[in-house]
Amino acid sequence: MKKLLFSTIILFCFLLSPISSISQTTDKSNPKLVIGIVVDQMRYDYLTRFYNKYGEGGFKRLMNEGFNCKNNHFNYVPTYTGPGHASVYTGTTPKYHGIISNNWYDKVSKASVYCAQDDAVESIGTTSRAGKMSPNRMQTTTFADENRLFTQKKGKTIGIAIKDRGAILPAGHTANAAYWFHGKDEGQWITSTYYMEDLPKWVKDFNKSKTVKSYLKTWNTLYDIKTYVESGDDLNDFEGGFKGKETATFPYDLKALKDENGGYDILKTTPFGNSLTADFALAAIEGEDLGQDEITDVLTVSFSCTDYVGHNFGVNSKEVEDTYLRLDKDLERLLKVLDKKVGSGEYTVFLTADHGAVDVPAYLKSLNVPAGYIDNSDMKTKFTEFMTKTYGTSDLVENVSNNQVFLNRKKIKALGLDLSSVQQTIVNELITYNDIDKAYTAQAMISTSFPDGIEHMIQNGFNQKRSGDVIVVYNPAYISYSHTGSTHGSGFNYDTHVPLLFYGKGVKQGSTVTRTVIPDIAPTMSALLNISFPSGATGSPLEFVIKK
């Protein structure tokens, strides 16, 4: 009898007392809002190099309270903005989503096309052609698309970036809206008729406000420049700077420099463009009531100005350091509003980049590190002479761009030549050029499976209908670019190794040095939301990130 009574009491206590704790630890509800953040041109080492100067509420909060994938890489080339944003959100590579570059030679129209270009739509918010954009060239869905489909379009998707491609491609095909910044003499956030016929009131109100003009001020370092010991000298030979200012040194009077540097476009090459992006994202959260019900919304935000600053001033510049210290403040501001507006623990964030960047080759050379610049003129002359001597004409080549050679297939057929043989002959020639490290034919990309190495990365970036006939790889740290500032595009670690931070609802706390790749992000978010993977996803969910 005593045993029976004891068992009854234990059962009664089990049924009553643990209910609240069980509900807390097994909460399977989705986050109210997912915020995907892409920091354009952010190398992984910017997290660690500037770590001691970051505050506690921005990058450090995401790193220390969330999950840090320390060995995250792009697994394809080219590492450019358009393909990068598409790959983050589709969970696959250019081989499948079709965004093979920012611009590429279209083999059908025989002209260069832009990754977000759409002449079938009209600009909204500007009379210029800057709004004639859509995701029409992207061939697969994003996880944001899948969330829209899963929720019967009840979950909203809004894309925001200074760059049009940084707003459009992440938001996907079914987005409620994507907004990007048109500078010049307008300084307006715009969109296209792909999404709507008129800007909503909150966007019009933002454009009418004095927010944009308020950033035309002096850009000086956030802290004493003498403390910026994590970067090189302010005055050096490796930076571009602004027209109208003799040296690329602090401070920069943006209002005075505005007219000689593209009007409001000057903000793109300063950290204030990122602050403007954060301002607009916060206005979108409020104006669109994002994260205000139990149906998950998606907000994609790309901070584009880090890329413009990097291109202008270079990886090792004090301008880059100051830009990241200020971005850290903007991230903290964003997270605080999310805590208040959506609720702490009710949203999920991931942060990554669309590519990294190389140190300025001229700077590397000054330190005896192998690096240099491609002499395109000399290479073109040499290659044209070879084609004329070998085939009696140089007309077999239609276009050379994005490290690819596009051949005139009709001409090759008319001359009775074998396409594969011509491709291989060109490879055999180009591989003899000093600054070219490797060269491959399209036939090799189609017929051979490469499990690893640069060949595997090229294959992941190779789209059979859109890519060229021959692909070349330059020597490490050799670029086709000006002798000041940094650029990107290669398959080397300086371009592929980027941050990947997860934070918030459904995310474990921790870190890993296990290798992860960019296409893993979208499947991970799909798994967290319990929705279908994007249509072309080739990545895998990162189980160690998600709470079970």
Side-chain angles (χ1 to χ4, degrees):
M1 186 65 181
K2 287 182 178 180
K3 287 183 179 181
L4 179 61
L5 179 61
F6 180 78
S7 299
T8 302
I9 292 171
I10 291 297
L11 177 61
F12 184 75
C13 291
F14 174 79
L15 290 173
L16 287 182
S17 60
I19 289 177
S20 60
S21 60
I22 289 175
S23 64
Q24 290 172 4
T25 57
T26 60
D27 181 7
K28 296 298 182 181
S29 63
N30 285 347
K32 293 180 179 180
L33 179 62
V34 169
I35 307 95
I37 299 173
V38 175
V39 183
D40 206 319
Q41 203 188 114
M42 184 175 185
R43 293 162 50 117
Y44 176 80
D45 65 355
Y46 290 163
L47 285 179
T48 53
R49 184 171 139 204
F50 308 136
Y51 184 85
N52 290 333
K53 282 194 170 57
Y54 290 141
E56 298 300 320
F59 285 116
K60 280 187 178 180
R61 178 176 174 183
L62 299 179
M63 293 170 71
N64 298 330
E65 298 180 27
F67 200 97
N68 184 359
C69 297
K70 299 180 178 181
N71 190 21
N72 183 61
H73 289 264
F74 281 86
N75 62 341
Y76 67 84
V77 288
T79 43
Y80 295 141
T81 298
H85 282 79
S87 298
V88 167
Y89 286 86
T90 63
T92 190
T93 67
K95 179 178 182 179
Y96 297 104
H97 62 59
I99 304 298
I100 63 170
S101 187
N102 293 333
N103 301 273
W104 65 85
Y105 178 72
D106 180 59
K107 292 185 277 191
V108 177
S109 67
K110 308 299 182 183
S112 178
V113 297
Y114 176 59
C115 62
Q117 172 187 340
D118 190 348
D119 292 334
V121 302
E122 299 299 329
S123 300
I124 298 294
T126 178
T127 56
S128 75
R129 292 180 56 86
K132 293 177 74 66
M133 305 289 169
S134 84
N136 75 103
R137 297 187 190 278
M138 187 167 65
Q139 297 177 313
T140 59
T141 62
T142 66
F143 83 81
D145 283 323
E146 296 301 332
N147 185 66
R148 287 277 284 163
L149 295 171
F150 184 83
T151 62
Q152 301 301 310
K153 298 190 291 183
K154 295 174 185 175
K156 286 186 176 182
T157 298
I158 306 291
I160 293 169
I162 291 285
K163 294 181 181 179
D164 48 45
R165 57 190 180 270
I168 291 167
L169 299 176
H173 302 277
T174 62
N176 299 81
Y179 300 103
W180 52 98
F181 184 71
H182 178 55
K184 306 294 183 182
D185 60 346
E186 295 183 28
Q188 301 280 300
W189 287 91
I190 66 172
T191 188
S192 79
T193 53
Y194 180 87
Y195 304 99
M196 62 191 72
E197 295 301 319
D198 194 17
L199 292 174
K201 184 179 182 300
W202 70 265
V203 177
K204 290 180 178 179
D205 289 343
F206 191 96
N207 283 337
K208 289 176 183 176
S209 72
K210 297 180 180 179
T211 305
V212 176
K213 284 187 177 180
S214 72
Y215 287 117
L216 288 173
K217 57 186 180 180
T218 298
W219 175 22
N220 211 336
T221 52
L222 184 62
Y223 307 116
D224 185 343
I225 196 169
K226 294 178 182 177
T227 68
Y228 283 33
V229 295
E230 298 81 6
S231 45
D233 294 336
D234 192 28
L235 180 61
N236 59 72
D237 297 327
F238 314 117
E239 301 177 11
F242 294 109
K243 293 179 182 178
K245 191 173 190 303
E246 188 174 341
T247 60
T249 54
F250 284 103
Y252 300 96
D253 185 343
L254 302 182
K255 190 173 182 179
L257 295 169
K258 167 176 170 281
D259 292 341
E260 290 189 68
N261 293 274
Y264 288 107
D265 278 342
I266 195 172
L267 294 177
K268 297 178 180 180
T269 315
T270 77
F272 301 137
N274 287 332
S275 297
L276 177 62
T277 303
D279 293 338
F280 193 74
L282 294 176
I285 292 170
E286 182 69 30
E288 297 289 345
D289 289 324
L290 298 180
Q292 297 307 298
D293 57 30
E294 301 305 313
I295 300 174
T296 303
D297 297 323
V298 177
L299 174 63
T300 74
V301 181
S302 180
F303 290 103
S304 308
C305 301
T306 42
D307 183 67
Y308 289 108
V309 174
H311 276 295
N312 192 356
F313 297 98
V315 165
N316 199 46
S317 65
K318 294 196 186 301
E319 286 81 0
V320 161
E321 178 167 359
D322 192 68
T323 297
Y324 277 90
L325 297 183
R326 289 178 181 274
L327 177 58
D328 183 57
K329 299 287 187 184
D330 287 322
L331 289 175
E332 180 175 6
R333 186 159 57 98
L334 177 60
L335 292 172
K336 283 182 176 179
V337 170
L338 290 170
D339 287 340
K340 184 177 180 180
K341 181 71 176 176
V342 182
S344 180
E346 293 296 336
Y347 62 88
T348 305
V349 177
F350 71 80
L351 183 148
T352 188
D354 55 348
H355 53 74
V358 66
D359 257 302
V360 180
Y363 170 66
L364 293 176
K365 285 182 71 175
S366 73
L367 299 176
N368 297 320
V369 176
Y373 297 90
I374 305 300
D375 187 338
N376 288 310
S377 179
D378 180 65
M379 193 176 294
K380 180 180 180 180
T381 299
K382 188 175 180 181
F383 182 56
T384 300
E385 290 175 354
F386 166 78
M387 293 298 291
T388 303
K389 181 179 180 181
T390 305
Y391 296 107
T393 177
S394 61
D395 292 345
L396 293 188
V397 177
E398 279 189 348
N399 180 268
V400 178
S401 57
N402 292 316
N403 293 19
Q404 298 178 50
V405 178
F406 293 80
L407 297 176
N408 186 326
R409 299 191 177 199
K410 285 186 178 180
K411 186 83 171 180
I412 288 172
K413 187 175 181 180
L415 292 175
L417 299 171
D418 176 69
L419 178 62
S420 298
S421 180
V422 174
Q423 289 176 353
Q424 189 59 52
T425 299
I426 291 173
V427 164
N428 293 342
E429 168 68 10
L430 292 178
I431 199 64
T432 66
Y433 294 3
N434 287 335
D435 300 332
I436 291 180
D437 186 44
K438 294 176 176 63
Y440 302 94
T441 66
Q443 183 60 36
M445 291 297 112
I446 296 168
S447 61
T448 307
S449 179
F450 299 103
D452 50 36
I454 191 67
E455 297 84 0
H456 177 68
M457 297 177 73
I458 293 172
Q459 196 163 51
N460 281 341
F462 182 85
N463 185 282
Q464 192 171 355
K465 292 192 74 170
R466 295 181 175 180
S467 297
D469 292 279
V470 172
I471 306 99
V472 300
V473 178
Y474 296 143
N475 289 334
Y478 273 71
I479 61 175
S480 177
Y481 199 66
S482 70
H483 287 220
T484 57
S486 296
T487 193
H488 49 86
S490 80
F492 296 108
N493 284 331
Y494 49 74
D495 282 338
T496 68
H497 190 195
V498 298
L500 177 54
L501 306 174
F502 294 92
Y503 171 86
K505 190 164 189 175
V507 174
K508 292 179 181 177
Q509 184 179 7
S511 65
T512 184
V513 292
T514 298
R515 185 181 176 89
T516 59
V517 293
I518 286 295
D520 293 336
I521 298 172
T524 300
M525 298 312 299
S526 292
L528 189 146
L529 295 175
N530 295 300
I531 61 175
S532 295
F533 290 7
S535 58
T538 53
S540 300
L542 302 176
E543 289 188 71
F544 46 78
V545 168
I546 303 172
K547 285 182 180 178
K548 295 181 181 179

